[in-house]
Amino acid sequence: MALWAGSQLSALTPLHAWWLTLAAFFLLTLMLQLLPPDLFPSSAFFQDLIRFGKTKLEASVRPAICRSFDVPKRYFSHFYVVSVLWNGFLLWCLTQSLFLGAPFPNWLHTVLRILGAAHFQEGELALSAFLVLVFLWLHSWRRLFECLYVSVFSNAVIHAVQYCFGHVYYIFVGITVLSQVPMDGRHVYVRGKNLFMQARWFHILGMMMFIWSSVHQYKCHVILGNLRKNKAGVVIHWQCHRPSRMGSEPGPPGSQASAQLLPAN
């Protein structure tokens, strides 16, 4: 067991260490969340750090120092702008290398090597990584469109640390996927003459699951956005209106004609 653990640690790349540390951090956060408030004196600051949107306390009962780190939740779109640009660039580099034989840029190859890129010539990871990057890029475009034209954001906020983490997350997701591509120097190694000859049943299944889940998530966001609009598509309030059984249109918030309102996002 000790020898096995030692071999696993020796094979730990910087990217593996990053994701392992991140997982450990979330596990620690969950454990601290379960502690009684009297055992965790700085619970108010901790709760403000991990919560966002409607899960945060009212601004009037939050310390002023906590409110100074507030970032509008509508800035979610910034994550997807970064993802579209960064992961689009990575996808462009991978596409150029796969189909035109172009080498990766020197700086990108250096970064991949430092982070522990896959310098081997086996398996079918080239097609898998290509598809994952394509889907990640398409997902980012869809979410950016939803943030700009579908979702109706209230005045809810997120913590500045969460805002920074969102950018770092999408940058590391793309570089992690690209690091799984088998490399031959600065070029991508493709077993066989045709990349798509690597296609297997799980690639088809993955594509079907991605399409279905994307359509389903888009429909859910449309429904959530419409809860703050009237039948003409005009935003009438910043809370979520729960439609009545009779399908009546909501009146002004607080009126008797208004249906039950959900907390703002």
Side-chain angles (χ1 to χ4, degrees), residues 187-202:
H187 295 79
V188 177
Y189 174 80
V190 180
R191 189 176 68 179
K193 297 181 179 180
N194 191 336
L195 174 69
F196 295 102
M197 293 298 293
Q198 299 179 2
R200 298 294 184 269
W201 64 268
F202 49 82

Side-chain angles (χ1 to χ4, degrees), residues 23 56 84 105 113 141 179 192 194 198 239:
K56 277 187 177 292
V84 165
R113 188 178 67 251
W141 269 114
S179 71
N194 191 336
Q198 299 179 2
Q239 291 179 308

Side-chain angles (χ1 to χ4, degrees), residues 44-45 48 58-70 159:
F45 297 96
D48 198 76
E58 294 293 335
S60 58
V61 298
R62 294 170 58 216
I65 189 173
C66 292
R67 297 195 297 271
S68 64
F69 290 97
D70 287 349
H159 198 279

Side-chain angles (χ1 to χ4, degrees), residues 79-91 137 140-141:
F79 304 154
Y80 303 112
V81 170
V82 170
S83 181
V84 165
L85 296 176
W86 170 248
N87 293 312
F89 168 74
L90 296 182
L91 178 61
W137 191 60
S140 301
W141 269 114

Side-chain angles (χ1 to χ4, degrees), residues 118-125 181-185 187-191:
H119 291 280
F120 52 84
Q121 301 179 358
E122 60 180 75
E124 297 147 356
L125 293 176
V181 177
M183 301 293 297
D184 184 9
H187 295 79
V188 177
Y189 174 80
V190 180
R191 189 176 68 179

Side-chain angles (χ1 to χ4, degrees), residues 85-142:
L85 296 176
W86 170 248
N87 293 312
F89 168 74
L90 296 182
L91 178 61
W92 179 81
C93 291
L94 181 58
T95 303
Q96 292 283 312
S97 185
L98 284 173
F99 299 103
L100 300 179
F104 281 179
N106 280 321
W107 67 268
L108 181 58
H109 177 254
T110 301
V111 170
L112 290 172
R113 188 178 67 251
I114 293 174
L115 294 178
H119 291 280
F120 52 84
Q121 301 179 358
E122 60 180 75
E124 297 147 356
L125 293 176
L127 178 60
S128 298
F130 174 73
L131 291 177
V132 171
L133 266 183
V134 169
F135 294 154
L136 176 61
W137 191 60
L138 293 177
H139 168 80
S140 301
W141 269 114
R142 179 182 60 80

